[in-house]
Amino acid sequence: MVKVKVRHLTRFALVAPADTSPPPPPTKLAFFVLAYGAPTIKWSNPTADFHHVKIYRSENAKSVGSVVNDAQIQNNFSDSNLKPKTYYYTLRSVDTAGNESKSTKPIKINAGQTTKPPIPTGLSVGKSSTAVKNLQKTLISSGLLASDFKLSNLFDEQTNVALQSFQERHGLPMTGKVDKKTAILLNRLFLLNKTL
């Protein structure tokens, strides 16, 4: 038997009760699938009593399933290498004391049904479409076009230079054209930045 004696108690021990209150759950869940088997989920984190999100995945709507990420700080998560079938994701907030919130309503995602990309492949200098404006918004949010850049439907030289810088930043060939790999990165950023 071991006995431990202390001469004083800390102020924290005297006045701070244990935190047993769970935080509110995440809200505004949304998702997109830019490549087969690779869905991305986004949400809004609670503004108080929050440390991270725990993410569960199931193949059954009535089961929470198993944890696929137990400490997600950011408000988005990308899964990968899934079969092209339906999955259900449930999220819970966790506070610094380890208390878990109630589960969110499961979000149903078909990992084989891709989202129509707001920035398609094939965009290059001289092209004109609303997708060019989406490209420009993403380049602005990436800091590659000035925040006061005048958005337009025209793929101009300024947009071209900014796109090449984007490609260089991500280790892609600096073609100034939206190819498949460039499109996946651009669309992910665009959809994550889109208002929830």
Side-chain angles (χ1 to χ4, degrees):
M1 180 181 208
V2 176
K3 289 185 178 179
V4 178
K5 291 183 180 179
V6 294
R7 292 185 182 186
H8 67 280
L9 294 173
T10 66
R11 180 176 179 275
F12 180 81
L14 288 172
V15 299
D19 177 4
T20 58
S21 299
T27 57
K28 299 180 181 177
L29 276 69
F31 74 92
F32 53 88
V33 183
L34 291 174
Y36 285 101
T40 294
I41 307 165
K42 63 180 186 173
W43 61 88
S44 289
N45 288 326
T47 56
D49 192 27
F50 170 79
H51 185 263
H52 65 270
V53 166
K54 194 178 272 191
I55 303 166
Y56 298 81
R57 182 182 67 215
S58 175
E59 295 179 22
N60 181 337
K62 296 183 180 179
S63 166
V64 173
S66 56
V67 176
V68 290
N69 190 308
D70 64 354
Q72 184 68 15
I73 304 293
Q74 296 177 326
N75 66 338
N76 64 83
F77 168 75
S78 292
D79 215 339
S80 60
N81 301 317
L82 299 179
K83 293 179 180 176
K85 60 182 184 178
T86 300
Y87 296 88
Y88 299 87
Y89 290 84
T90 303
L91 280 63
R92 294 178 185 165
S93 298
V94 182
D95 64 16
T96 54
N99 299 308
E100 280 191 32
S101 71
K102 291 181 179 178
S103 296
T104 60
K105 184 179 177 182
I107 186 167
K108 179 181 176 181
I109 301 176
N110 183 337
Q113 187 174 353
T114 57
T115 305
K116 183 179 178 182
I119 304 170
T121 58
L123 295 179
S124 60
V125 173
K127 300 276 182 168
S128 181
S129 71
T130 54
V132 173
K133 195 177 284 187
N134 293 336
L135 168 63
Q136 292 168 342
K137 287 178 183 176
T138 306
L139 294 172
I140 289 170
S141 70
S142 299
L144 298 169
L145 278 175
S147 58
D148 61 351
F149 177 82
K150 188 174 179 182
L151 296 170
S152 72
N153 290 340
L154 180 64
F155 194 126
D156 60 7
E157 190 54 39
Q158 240 182 314
T159 304
N160 181 46
V161 170
L163 179 59
Q164 288 179 347
S165 296
F166 178 88
Q167 290 171 322
E168 181 181 29
R169 179 185 287 178
H170 293 280
L172 300 171
M174 295 170 54
T175 61
K177 294 180 182 178
V178 179
D179 56 23
K180 187 176 180 180
K181 288 183 179 179
T182 304
I184 288 173
L185 289 172
L186 288 166
N187 282 300
R188 186 173 189 276
L189 287 171
F190 179 84
L191 290 166
L192 286 175
N193 289 329
K194 195 174 178 184
T195 305
L196 287 168

